[in-house]
Amino acid sequence: MNNTVQMKQATPANKNSPYTQLKSMNIGDCQWTTGFWADKFELCANAMVPYMGDVLCGDVGHALNNFKIAAGEKEGEHQGMFWHDGDFYKFMEAKIYVYAHTKNNELLAELDEYIAIIGKAQESDGYLQTQIQLRDGVDRYENRKYHEMYNTGHLLISACIHFNVTGQRNFLDIAIKHADLLYTIFMPDTKHYGRFGFNQTQIMGLVELYRTLGDKKYLKLAEKFIDNRGKYEVKHHATTEGYPIGDMVQERTPLRESNEAVGHAVLALYYYAGAADVYAETGEKALLDALDRLWENVTTKKMYVTGAVGQAHYGASVNRDMIEEGFIDAFMMPNMTAYNETCANLCNAMFSYRMLNLHGEAKYADIVELVLYNSALSGISVTGKEYFYANPLRMLNNTRDYNAHENVTETPNREPYLSCFCCPPNLVRTIATVSEWAYSLSENGFTVNLYGANTLNSELKDGSPIKVSQETEYPWQGKVKLRMEECKADAFAISLRIPKWAKNSKLTLNGEELSKTLEPGSFVKIERNWKKGDVLVLDMPMEVEFIEGHPRIEEVRNQIAVKRGPIVYCIESPDLPENTDILDIYFNGNKSLEPTHQPNFLGGITTLEGEVLIRKDKGEGIYRTVQKPEWTPHKTQLVPYFAWSNRGQAEMTVFMPVVWED
Ligand SMILES: [Zn+2]
């Protein structure tokens, strides 16, 4: 195809998208140098990705085996969830990103091996779904519960990124053949396939393929999958049996009429992220208005202090549709039973990142940052080899039967393998590509979305070279120093994100304070003739803050969480006397907490040293009479929420009841 151009751009590859304020940087243009994200990337390249490769390419994960069997290279049966192919594509995506940053050719060769197997597994007409190909008695596109669209979405995205990074067509050609088949089946209006577009990951994949190939049919098909939802009567038929319908899969209300995020949180947020990609190409106002409403609904009424989403494992929507792993009523935010699937949290960041591109407003990057440092990283251990699926804000021992049924995905500790393996590769691919989210191109300049020591070596939109180095100890210190290494002579703008938490920040240029209003939660734009050697210093005082919930969140009334900068803290049983019940921990609001950096503790973190109160008097029964309780003060430390559960099985809480002395 003549229009195929290697975009080199990170996802979303929106260079030519007409309706975006900001454009993604090219993959690899920003490289972490030292500090938090450099450490995480190194761990990702040296532990997370190799370990995951061992698991998924071996017999435990059995993901590559599925492709080998479908390719006729191995005997055996399909193992893993229906969406296991998709999870393997996500792992490949992580490996592609690591290759993009390290140029380690071994990774490229391994990817080529996988691609050759996947290519052999693909049927001659483009169909590629090992969960169906290796299953007797099930036809392709027979029932949406088999998650074909999910696998498709990740195939398309991973293949586009592979092409954009390597310029090789081997993976891309598989994706094209597959998408062309999809087009012939799902583009015509048929009642049979009208509601089939679940789960909605394919929308993002199709738009990315459109961007790579320039062929509008993929965009049209992506749009079709949005238009079809909410169009058909919600009742079970042949393609829906065996999986909840209605709000669970966002098919009751057309997206353009939606005011409330409903149903499975991962499906919903992949759907909204895909719709944001469609809007970037079509500019349809009704779509953007709906996405604005949904983003507000998620982030102001249904999101945890950690940026996590999907309050419940089981529940119902207001339309009384059964929902799983998803959104329930606004402000209904349990701590202990919070589901907060790692994928859902990541999808919240992916949706917010796309909204940042569309609107160019810092509030979206605030959510990306909140998720990354808290409810995303909590999904993986400090060694990079154990995973959480659910990310509750409170953990109690012995309150839950983890073997109650096969779908209990909430675990008391991170596990080295999860039979439902969607979250680990989703998180690892994100860690591998955070640097691609750090900067964006604006009309005449660039924005700094995320902080972390790095070098940027890129081009502005007019093609002029731009080189910048960033020094900072973020997220542990709020001082960020940007040094101009190379730039054009003409004026252009650097926009720095002032995070919502960053009050009383100061900005200096070459040692002189700039008289700019630094409004928390917005970008500050500095437009001038830059020259090599210019030094911009943003100093954001990082105070320890006590956070309370909206009074309508009953589950946290009279409780506080502790936050410093972007990091949410928790208290965990290894930092308490043995056998302390985490529910007996109170916080004395008059006491201060002292940040202490501990480079050799839990991967290098800043703890908060201080005192909590342990309640001594015990009551009994579901309701008890109470007088003023008795407490024992206890000197201890709070650790970042993402770093909990790395010291053995523990109780943990983010929110603590607070006592304010006169
Ligand atoms: Zn997941």
Side-chain angles (χ1 to χ4, degrees), residues 90 266 341-344 389 420-424 426:
K90 275 185 276 174
V266 178
E341 177 180 346
T342 306
C343 281
Y389 189 103
C420 176
F421 205 69
C422 54
C423 299
N426 208 358

Side-chain angles (χ1 to χ4, degrees), residues 476 562-564 567-570 606-608 638-641 654:
W476 311 122
V562 177
K563 198 164 170 243
R564 178 173 179 269
I567 305 283
V568 175
Y569 282 79
C570 68
T606 293
T607 56
L608 301 179
L638 273 59
V639 297
Y641 168 73
V654 170

Side-chain angles (χ1 to χ4, degrees), residues 506 529 587 594 641:
K506 275 199 177 119
N529 292 89
F587 192 78
E594 282 305 312
Y641 168 73

Side-chain angles (χ1 to χ4, degrees), residues 32 36-37 39-45 48 94 97-98 101 346 372 376-377 379-381 384 424-437:
W32 304 121
F36 189 89
W37 287 111
D39 292 349
K40 292 290 173 217
F41 181 84
E42 199 185 311
L43 190 71
C44 182
M48 294 177 191
Y97 284 125
V98 173
H101 285 270
L346 291 164
L372 286 175
L377 280 181
I380 198 158
S381 63
N426 208 358
L427 176 52
V428 169
R429 72 170 175 161
T430 304
I431 294 168
T433 194
V434 173
S435 59
E436 271 75 44
W437 292 0

Side-chain angles (χ1 to χ4, degrees), residues 12-33:
N14 56 5
K15 193 183 282 179
N16 302 315
S17 310
Y19 301 98
T20 58
Q21 303 286 321
L22 301 177
K23 309 286 185 188
S24 305
M25 288 279 173
N26 285 350
I27 300 171
D29 280 4
C30 170
Q31 299 265 13
W32 304 121
T33 48

